[in-house]
Amino acid sequence: MGNKTDIVISKYEDSFLVIVTQIGCMGTILAAKKDESVFSDPTYNVSVLFGKRNEPLLLACARQLIEHISGSGSTRSLMISLGLKDHSQGTLKDIVSTIIENCLW
């Protein structure tokens, strides 16, 4: 990541809040959760609550994180804010790796 990037990870009773910023404030806010069904494999629901809706890499970032959270046995949902100058695939990959290395789940 060429830009200074601040990351905050907070754990709550039923969710995680992750704030990633290169702009000094919150950016696009996404919600992600695992939907389980008795009859099929789990699915993951990721939606943009506020901000850029035409950035598929932001959705992919949130999806990777909720899959990792669920895969580690947690049932918490994820709220993530991505305030980025650089939306490249490499930057988002670095962000996901850093969050997973410092995870609270």
Side-chain angles (χ1 to χ4, degrees):
M1 291 183 276
N3 295 299
K4 178 184 179 290
T5 305
D6 295 314
I7 299 175
V8 176
I9 305 170
S10 298
K11 180 179 180 180
Y12 297 95
E13 187 173 322
D14 62 346
S15 64
F16 292 101
L17 172 65
V18 177
I19 300 171
V20 181
T21 185
Q22 296 173 337
I23 59 174
C25 60
M26 295 179 76
T28 300
I29 300 172
L30 301 104
K33 66 180 181 172
K34 176 181 176 182
D35 293 325
E36 292 198 58
S37 171
V38 176
F39 303 109
S40 65
D41 291 335
T43 58
Y44 299 93
N45 184 355
V46 179
S47 58
V48 176
L49 301 179
F50 178 81
K52 297 183 179 187
R53 297 186 184 280
N54 59 348
E55 291 282 347
L57 288 177
L58 299 183
L59 293 168
C61 180
R63 183 178 172 92
Q64 283 184 346
L65 289 173
I66 193 62
E67 285 179 4
H68 191 273
I69 290 168
S70 298
S72 64
S74 177
T75 59
R76 289 179 170 88
S77 62
L78 171 69
M79 184 78 61
I80 183 167
S81 170
L82 297 166
L84 305 175
K85 292 178 186 175
D86 178 6
H87 290 193
S88 70
Q89 186 174 357
T91 295
L92 289 167
K93 187 175 180 179
D94 290 345
I95 287 168
V96 168
S97 296
T98 301
I99 293 169
I100 289 172
E101 287 172 14
N102 297 286
C103 66
L104 297 175
W105 42 88

